[in-house]
Amino acid sequence: MGRPPLIALIGGTGKTGRAVQAALSGVGVEAHALGRAASADLSAALAGADAVYLIAPNLHPDEPRYVADALAAMRAAGVGRVVYHSVASPYAPAMPHHLGKATAEDLVRRSGLAWTILQPCAYLQNLQAGVMTGALSVPYSLETRFGLVDLDDVARAAAVVLTEPGHDGATYELGGPALVTLAEVAAIATEVLGRPVTATRTDPDAWAGEGLGEREQVWLRAMFGYYDAYGLPTGGRVLAALLGRTPATVADVMTRWQ
Ligand SMILES: NC(=O)c1ccc[n+]([C@@H]2O[C@H](COP(=O)([O-])OP(=O)(O)OC[C@H]3O[C@@H](n4cnc5c(N)ncnc54)[C@H](OP(=O)(O)O)[C@@H]3O)[C@@H](O)[C@H]2O)c1
């Protein structure tokens, strides 16, 4: 038997990267997590890696440029394979950060490397803080539908495509097992946690975006507007096939938060 692939995680020190590293560790594969310091000489940081899991920072101002630079560093370092962490419905021109990922996907497909693309829906974990306070406030509709997904399931799917053959040239959308509204999420939380969790749609125009720059605020407002009108429906069958089981439900994930 050959040695296991050496895997580097670009953006591996953040929320997503830590989950992917833990999932790889769960299948006995140690991965090298790179943070922003590695971007100073990325090809040197990638030396010896067979495959890269590529995660861009949240709301990067120019994700196609960031991905192009990372792909160039991979080629310079002799990396053979890339798995790119995109998003569900990347070609949504109303949301600049989704559109950046759509453009970056095209760069990945034309990179000359063996490639796989994962398109996760929004993580259930994004809602944890609000749910735990009992007041889930969002500046978008409580009635539009999302394929909210367990980040740990996304990470396990990433580990599958990184360590098993047969995923070159594949683009996989990764949603939870059912489409849910935020009103339903609050009802499930009330049931699972055994205490009231209310969902409230706050006025998007009153959303302050505290601590964020002007551009990030504009981009997030655009996302809220899209969520308000359309949600982010995402199928769950592909994730189930990759995991070999039903992905975690909203209730499954919240049971862990008790
Ligand atoms: N949250 C969701 O529901 C969701 C769903 C689908 C897709 N995504 C996508 O997942 C990606 C990662 O999200 P996340 O929550 O894991 O992000 P995160 O926790 O903020 O982690 C970001 C990573 O990027 C690195 N980084 C930050 N600024 C950088 C820079 N200027 N140059 C190079 N590296 C930099 C960070 O390194 P340091 O540790 O050194 O700062 C860290 O490793 C985003 O592209 C997001 O769009 C998120």
Side-chain angles (χ1 to χ4, degrees):
M1 248 172 67
R3 63 167 177 80
L6 295 175
I7 297 170
L9 311 176
I10 297 180
T13 53
K15 181 164 70 169
T16 304
R18 285 193 303 272
V20 174
Q21 191 174 34
L24 283 165
S25 176
V27 294
V29 176
E30 294 309 314
H32 185 37
L34 304 174
R36 74 182 69 199
S39 57
D41 190 352
L42 194 52
S43 61
L46 295 175
D50 300 301
V52 161
Y53 195 77
L54 175 57
I55 305 167
N58 262 321
L59 299 173
H60 191 281
D62 188 352
E63 186 151 338
R65 179 78 262 153
Y66 172 90
V67 167
D69 289 347
L71 292 167
M74 287 177 223
R75 284 188 294 263
V79 174
R81 176 147 191 262
V82 59
V83 179
Y84 172 50
H85 190 86
S86 181
V87 73
S89 299
Y91 185 71
M95 294 190 280
H97 69 302
H98 277 233
L99 198 54
K101 284 180 167 31
T103 304
E105 284 191 3
D106 174 58
L107 298 176
V108 168
R109 294 190 184 100
R110 295 188 293 110
S111 64
L113 304 176
W115 58 266
T116 308
I117 295 171
L118 301 185
Q119 299 176 328
C121 191
Y123 314 145
L124 271 163
Q125 280 79 357
N126 298 347
L127 303 176
Q128 183 169 3
V131 164
M132 296 315 278
T133 64
L136 184 57
S137 298
V138 291
Y140 51 86
S141 171
L142 304 180
E143 302 303 334
T144 54
R145 300 194 303 166
F146 297 80
L148 294 170
V149 68
D150 176 15
L151 171 58
D152 293 343
D153 276 350
V154 171
R156 286 187 201 100
V160 167
V161 305
L162 282 163
T163 59
E164 297 180 9
H167 301 289
D168 287 355
T171 300
Y172 296 139
E173 66 173 8
L174 303 178
L179 300 182
V180 288
T181 67
L182 270 284
E184 289 166 347
V185 168
I188 295 166
T190 299
E191 179 79 25
V192 171
L193 301 177
R195 57 178 189 272
V197 177
T198 56
T200 310
R201 179 190 187 275
T202 57
D203 179 359
D205 293 333
W207 178 73
E210 278 158 27
L212 295 172
E214 177 65 24
R215 177 189 58 82
E216 287 86 345
Q217 290 189 27
V218 169
W219 284 19
L220 285 175
R221 273 182 214 285
M223 183 185 81
F224 297 147
Y226 189 97
Y227 283 7
D228 199 46
Y230 311 109
L232 194 63
T234 309
R237 294 292 185 100
V238 176
L239 181 56
L242 290 170
L243 299 175
R245 60 164 169 78
T246 304
T249 63
V250 176
D252 291 336
V253 174
M254 287 181 182
T255 301
R256 287 187 231 141
W257 297 347
Q258 281 175 312

